[in-house]
Amino acid sequence: MTKILFASSEAVPFIKTGGLADVAGSLPKYFDRKNYDVRVILPKYICMDAQWKAQLQFLCHFYVNLGWRKQYAGIFQAKADGITYYFVDNEFYFAGDKPYNHIHEDVEKFAYFSKAVLEALPFLDFCPDIIHCHDWQTGLIPVYLRTLYGGERYYAGIRTVYSIHNLKFQGRFTLPAVADITGLPQQIFTADKLESYGEANYLKGGVVYADAITTVSRTYAMEITTPEGGEGLDGLMRARSDVLFGIPNGLDYEEYDPETDVFLENHFNQTNFVSQKAANKESLQRELSLPTEPDVFFLGMVSRLYDQKGFDLVTYIMEELLSTEKIQIVVLGTGDEKYESSFRYFAEKYPDKLHADIGYSDDLAHRIYGSCDAFLMPSLFEPCGLSQLMSLRYGTVPIVRETGGLKDTVEPYNEYENTGTGFSFANYNAHEMLATLRYAMKVYRTDRRAWNALALRGMQQDFSWESSAREYEALYMMITNRPSGCR
Ligand code: GLC
């Protein structure tokens, strides 16, 4: 039995701010349970839903030395879908109203979490063969393991995999502060290890010290080795490219299933989706006080409202789009003030065409996927992206920019050969996006049969976790069978 511990700062159903939570909360279910015991360790945030907090059971406690500090750590446990989750409790660090607050708090918070994960292992009676770390918040785990814990027998056989879900967020802070907080030896704050552009960089630490590095799509794995996509670390990514792998994310096909989705009024499958989705469209239009027009092009967007997601393109052409086209748009998400107020403005100006819900609602999100004709995702960059996979699964045609995982998962429509699963454009340009939207609208209006065939091809794609879980298993095998990349 190979033992794997996922160390993550979020995981569904317990706590979620983004796609990382979906991955950390669904991938563990898809390993071959006869050969893999996969467990997850998370911080025990005070802001976790009361429903989940009530299920946690206290296991043990100990103290963590962090630089000159000595901090309490409690360990709690819960089960979800047959997977064991551990939670590190410390109300000094995890008391905020959201998981991440200010970077100066977060660097200490996640140095603490990383060290507490390693200290917890002997108490859990679960010595993993591999710790699979996710994003900058756990970048120090491989660093601690190979430095402060390097000489300890208990830890000697543990390997690490480090997964990058978004290279933009690196966890950077001043060198003296990080040296003080972490208690790591001075000799590792150098340009070949933790130092980067005059600061200490947690993600860099993870990439330098891990036995293998993964990211969440093949195209993004290539993009991060280039100056355009490398966020300043492309040289490092090239240097580690022998152990850098792109393994695409899957979607939790149990949670996102249009045949059983509890949030949908009318369930559907590949045979009856046209009529059932039309019924969903009508009820969502009614729910959102939009005119109930069956033939209007109904476009959804569910996203964090940040630059990464391409919202500068969207707001740039919004007036032109809404003033000239027969369209209805539903936007759901929160984020940058400038985008939130821009959508509020347009929703007020065009109440029959734009509904903006500045918030987050899982059930509205599911209803958007289950009711819209198309889904817009014009990201500037996209490590993998999950929303386009949800759209495909629900017969909602994705319109995307050709970057990262979007490029790998959406095949552009070819009207001559009747192939493809969506629409895409290459350059980060608002009018190129608008032209693509207009092309999609033209197909929708003038050739509904081709449109429905396009939606059906999308529904027939398989982006479940099955094949990606097998790829992770192969990677785990590879690194457990060879000596650690110990420095
Ligand atoms: C981040 C990325 C997104 C990816 C997700 C899960 O949120 O921005 O593209 O799908 O992580 O890996």
Side-chain angles (χ1 to χ4, degrees):
M1 184 70 88
T2 307
K3 297 202 274 310
I4 314 285
L5 183 65
F6 271 44
S8 177
S9 55
E10 46 185 279
V12 291
F14 300 101
I15 185 91
K16 169 170 171 171
T17 73
L20 165 62
D22 293 304
V23 174
S26 58
L27 172 57
K29 294 191 278 183
Y30 293 91
F31 289 101
D32 164 13
R33 295 202 191 183
K34 285 198 293 301
N35 296 312
Y36 289 88
D37 182 354
V38 184
R39 306 186 186 185
V40 185
I41 188 160
L42 301 166
K44 179 175 172 286
Y45 300 107
I46 292 216
C47 61
M48 204 188 315
D49 246 18
Q51 169 200 1
W52 299 114
K53 266 194 285 190
Q55 298 186 12
L56 311 188
Q57 285 176 344
F58 179 77
L59 271 186
C60 62
H61 83 278
F62 51 88
Y63 287 87
V64 179
N65 293 318
L66 199 65
W68 48 268
R69 304 154 185 81
K70 191 173 180 164
Q71 301 286 20
Y72 168 87
I75 300 289
F76 286 68
Q77 183 178 343
K79 281 225 174 204
D81 271 329
I83 301 292
T84 299
Y85 286 80
Y86 299 111
F87 297 82
V88 177
D89 174 38
N90 178 306
E91 297 196 349
F92 172 66
Y93 290 120
F94 303 130
D97 57 355
K98 43 191 190 317
Y100 319 124
N101 300 87
H102 303 289
I103 188 72
H104 67 274
E105 289 169 27
D106 291 350
V107 283
E108 180 166 343
K109 185 192 287 184
F110 290 106
Y112 163 79
F113 178 64
S114 298
K115 198 142 189 243
V117 167
L118 293 173
E119 291 284 328
L121 301 179
F123 294 90
L124 299 179
D125 200 17
F126 184 74
C127 183
D129 298 289
I130 292 169
I131 305 180
H132 188 153
C133 308
H134 298 268
D135 273 354
W136 73 265
Q137 292 88 342
T138 57
L140 288 187
I141 292 179
V143 181
Y144 275 125
L145 195 63
R146 297 279 166 263
T147 55
L148 295 191
Y149 294 79
E152 293 186 35
R153 252 190 85 207
Y154 179 85
Y155 294 93
I158 302 176
R159 304 282 188 267
T160 49
V161 172
Y162 186 67
S163 286
I164 301 168
H165 296 263
N166 192 339
L167 185 57
K168 190 162 184 74
F169 303 107
Q170 301 179 359
R172 299 198 313 235
F173 211 55
T174 65
L175 289 162
V178 172
D180 173 64
I181 290 164
T182 58
L184 285 162
Q186 271 309 326
Q187 64 268 26
I188 76 154
F189 291 95
T190 52
D192 59 336
K193 299 195 175 75
L194 231 61
E195 190 271 346
S196 174
Y197 301 99
E199 292 180 306
N201 183 320
Y202 285 15
L203 179 141
K204 182 176 180 186
V207 171
V208 168
Y209 282 93
D211 295 294
I213 301 133
T214 72
T215 187
V216 289
S217 70
R218 300 200 210 290
T219 293
Y220 193 62
M222 186 275 292
E223 287 170 346
I224 62 176
T225 63
T226 67
E228 297 73 36
E231 303 286 350
L233 296 181
D234 48 297
L236 171 67
M237 297 303 165
R238 287 194 298 277
R240 299 241 62 200
S241 56
D242 56 330
V243 287
L244 170 64
F245 304 92
I247 302 182
N249 285 335
L251 187 64
D252 191 338
Y253 270 25
E254 287 161 27
E255 200 191 330
Y256 290 92
D257 181 353
E259 285 213 89
T260 55
D261 192 319
V262 290
F263 300 117
L264 296 187
E265 212 163 285
N266 304 283
H267 292 131
F268 56 90
N269 55 33
Q270 292 175 18
T271 324
N272 64 5
F273 74 100
V274 176
S275 60
Q276 297 295 91
K277 283 198 69 178
N280 284 339
K281 178 171 173 177
E282 191 190 328
S283 56
L284 186 59
Q285 286 171 329
R286 195 165 288 131
E287 175 187 332
L288 304 178
S289 306
L290 291 165
T292 48
E293 295 171 29
D295 286 323
V296 71
F297 188 74
F298 200 27
L299 180 71
M301 273 184 275
V302 179
S303 177
R304 291 175 289 127
L305 306 178
Y306 291 123
D307 292 345
Q308 179 203 331
K309 300 293 177 179
F311 281 102
D312 47 348
L313 303 189
V314 177
T315 48
Y316 191 75
I317 52 93
M318 204 40 124
E319 178 66 42
E320 196 176 339
L321 181 67
L322 294 174
S323 61
T324 57
E325 294 290 341
K326 190 168 173 288
I327 190 171
Q328 286 181 359
I329 302 177
V330 191
V331 180
L332 171 64
T334 57
D336 274 353
E337 175 70 42
K338 61 180 175 188
Y339 297 128
E340 294 187 354
S341 32
S342 169
F343 283 121
R344 284 198 187 102
Y345 165 81
F346 286 116
E348 211 168 312
K349 184 164 179 195
Y350 295 99
D352 286 352
K353 290 187 161 179
L354 176 69
H355 178 92
D357 192 318
I358 306 302
Y360 191 76
S361 147
D362 212 22
D363 60 46
L364 179 56
H366 281 245
R367 282 205 292 283
I368 290 175
Y369 296 117
S371 318
C372 283
D373 298 303
F375 189 87
L376 180 61
M377 206 169 164
S379 306
L380 173 61
F381 67 94
E382 196 61 73
C384 177
L386 297 170
S387 305
Q388 84 280 16
L389 304 182
M390 297 165 192
S391 303
L392 288 166
R393 175 109 163 119
Y394 283 64
T396 300
V397 176
I399 301 171
V400 304
R401 193 173 92 82
E402 290 155 19
T403 182
L406 296 175
K407 189 173 173 182
D408 294 350
T409 53
V410 178
E411 187 198 333
Y413 174 54
N414 179 327
E415 64 184 31
Y416 306 103
E417 293 176 4
N418 263 312
T419 55
T421 56
F423 295 85
S424 64
F425 61 101
N427 297 304
Y428 195 70
N429 175 300
H431 278 90
E432 203 171 311
M433 178 185 79
L434 183 59
T436 309
L437 268 170
R438 287 199 161 127
Y439 175 43
M441 285 187 264
K442 184 178 145 233
V443 177
Y444 177 81
R445 281 192 206 114
T446 58
D447 194 350
R448 193 63 63 85
R449 185 189 280 208
W451 181 272
N452 290 338
L454 178 60
L456 177 62
R457 285 194 294 277
M459 294 180 83
Q460 288 164 339
Q461 302 294 303
D462 181 3
F463 292 111
S464 64
W465 271 114
E466 296 301 338
S467 60
S468 299
R470 300 294 84 75
E471 285 188 54
Y472 280 111
E473 287 171 2
L475 177 66
Y476 295 156
M477 285 276 281
M478 185 183 97
I479 63 169
T480 45
N481 287 335
R482 66 166 200 217
S484 161
C486 179
R487 302 184 162 245

